[in-house]
């Protein structure tokens, strides 16, 4: 398991789209020398290249103040 930062992912995606998947494998192995075989690195490159940006976060719900009840009138 490894963690890929957004800048590393962008470098890999750029290599993938501009020069092909094997160039992206080279970039991945340059950034993460732990990959010893190309098939595993290629599988990871394809996954990283397919990532989509997350949708924008929904705005937080509006917080409203609770209204206090008027005190009940005392009975005579």
């Amino acid at each position: 398991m490894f963690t890929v930062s957004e800048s590393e992912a962008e470098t890999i995606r750029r290599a993938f789209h501009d020069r092909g998947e094997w160039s992206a494998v080279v970039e991945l192995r340059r950034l993460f020398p732990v990959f010893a075989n190309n098939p595993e690195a290629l599988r990871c490159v394809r996954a990283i290249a397919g990532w989509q940006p997350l949708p924008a976060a929904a705005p937080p719900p509006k917080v409203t103040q609770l209204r206090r009840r008027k005190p009940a009138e005392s009975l005579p």
Side-chain angles (χ1 to χ4, degrees), residues 1-5 8 28 31-35 40 43-44 48 51:
M1 183 182 276
F2 63 103
T3 303
V4 180
S5 70
E8 292 165 337
L28 178 74
L31 294 169
F32 303 98
V34 70
F35 286 98
E40 184 67 19
R43 187 178 68 80
C44 292
I48 293 168
W51 287 348

Side-chain angles (χ1 to χ4, degrees), residues 2-75:
F2 63 103
T3 303
V4 180
S5 70
E6 186 56 41
S7 64
E8 292 165 337
E10 182 58 33
T11 301
I12 294 166
R13 281 193 294 267
R14 192 175 323 114
F16 184 87
H17 293 297
D18 293 348
R19 299 184 309 268
E21 58 187 19
W22 289 109
S23 294
V25 167
V26 170
E27 285 297 322
L28 178 74
R29 292 186 69 186
R30 183 182 64 80
L31 294 169
F32 303 98
V34 70
F35 286 98
N37 61 22
N38 285 337
E40 184 67 19
L42 181 59
R43 187 178 68 80
C44 292
V45 160
R46 288 176 177 163
I48 293 168
W51 287 348
Q52 296 294 321
L54 294 174
K62 185 176 177 182
V63 178
T64 59
Q65 293 286 338
L66 295 176
R67 292 186 215 160
R68 294 181 180 249
R69 288 185 181 183
K70 292 183 181 178
E73 295 291 328
S74 58
L75 296 173

